[in-house]
Amino acid sequence: AEKEGSYLFFLNEVKVKVNSSLSESPTDLYAGLYLEDHGGVLERETFKDFAGLLSQPKYLLKYCVADDADDNKSPEFYLTYFEESDGLDAKPLKVIIYVKKDKIFVKSKLTAWIPFQPEDRLKIEKDENFKKLPQNIQKKANELLNKAQDELM
């Protein structure tokens, strides 16, 4: 958990239910924003992201952070993970960003496709919401992506 003001940011891996039993390979990421209260914590927001069916996410928790990169007094939340899978195809390293706009959190995504073949090249994809983010938030997400990529390679 990372403390940001009076909020706590929790991350945990949740195993997927398959035929009434828990899978050995977690594929879903759930995170939450909780408000500290005298009796414990209250859930304020839930964030989710789901890996592909044949992939196994490796959560890079030190690159999952809460930050206020744009200094607007409302933190953004960055979830970073790598999708491992069989085969030699390029694999995605993702930074999912949640930014509060008009009382709701908007999800944005930055993905680096990590090559595993000599003829492949690194490819970076930015979704439409990411392209609309303030430059400071984009910069923070790119820094997290680059640090996580360096660690993986």
Side-chain angles (χ1 to χ4, degrees), residues 54-92:
L54 299 176
S55 63
Q56 191 169 15
K58 176 182 177 184
Y59 301 106
L60 306 171
L61 296 181
K62 70 180 177 182
Y63 304 112
C64 295
V65 298
D67 193 20
D68 186 11
D70 60 353
D71 293 322
N72 70 349
K73 308 290 187 240
S74 179
E76 311 85 45
F77 302 93
Y78 303 81
L79 308 177
T80 305
Y81 68 92
F82 178 65
E83 284 188 32
E84 297 177 325
S85 64
D86 291 343
L88 298 174
D89 295 338
K91 297 179 181 39

Side-chain angles (χ1 to χ4, degrees), residues 16-145:
V16 179
K17 278 193 166 187
V18 178
N19 297 329
S20 299
S21 65
L22 292 177
S23 165
E24 293 301 315
S25 304
T27 57
D28 297 345
L29 173 70
Y30 291 88
L33 178 60
Y34 296 81
L35 181 62
E36 286 184 290
D37 190 11
H38 299 293
V41 291
L42 302 172
E43 182 177 274
R44 304 298 282 176
E45 234 12 91
T46 300
F47 308 131
K48 302 176 239 185
D49 201 57
F50 306 103
L53 292 175
L54 299 176
S55 63
Q56 191 169 15
K58 176 182 177 184
Y59 301 106
L60 306 171
L61 296 181
K62 70 180 177 182
Y63 304 112
C64 295
V65 298
D67 193 20
D68 186 11
D70 60 353
D71 293 322
N72 70 349
K73 308 290 187 240
S74 179
E76 311 85 45
F77 302 93
Y78 303 81
L79 308 177
T80 305
Y81 68 92
F82 178 65
E83 284 188 32
E84 297 177 325
S85 64
D86 291 343
L88 298 174
D89 295 338
K91 297 179 181 39
L93 169 62
K94 296 183 180 186
V95 179
I96 309 297
I97 307 101
Y98 289 92
V99 176
K100 193 169 192 174
K101 291 185 179 178
D102 300 324
K103 299 184 181 184
I104 62 164
F105 280 92
V106 176
K107 178 180 174 180
S108 302
K109 185 170 20 179
L110 176 64
T111 305
W113 291 90
I114 309 296
F116 285 91
Q117 295 291 324
E119 65 273 11
D120 291 338
R121 302 187 71 112
L122 177 71
K123 181 174 86 173
I124 305 288
E125 292 178 357
K126 302 170 183 177
D127 75 1
E128 289 305 312
N129 285 338
F130 183 87
K131 294 173 187 175
K132 296 174 188 173
L133 291 172
Q135 288 300 310
N136 290 347
I137 296 174
Q138 289 185 32
K139 180 180 176 188
K140 176 71 177 186
N142 278 302
E143 287 171 0
L144 291 169
L145 184 81

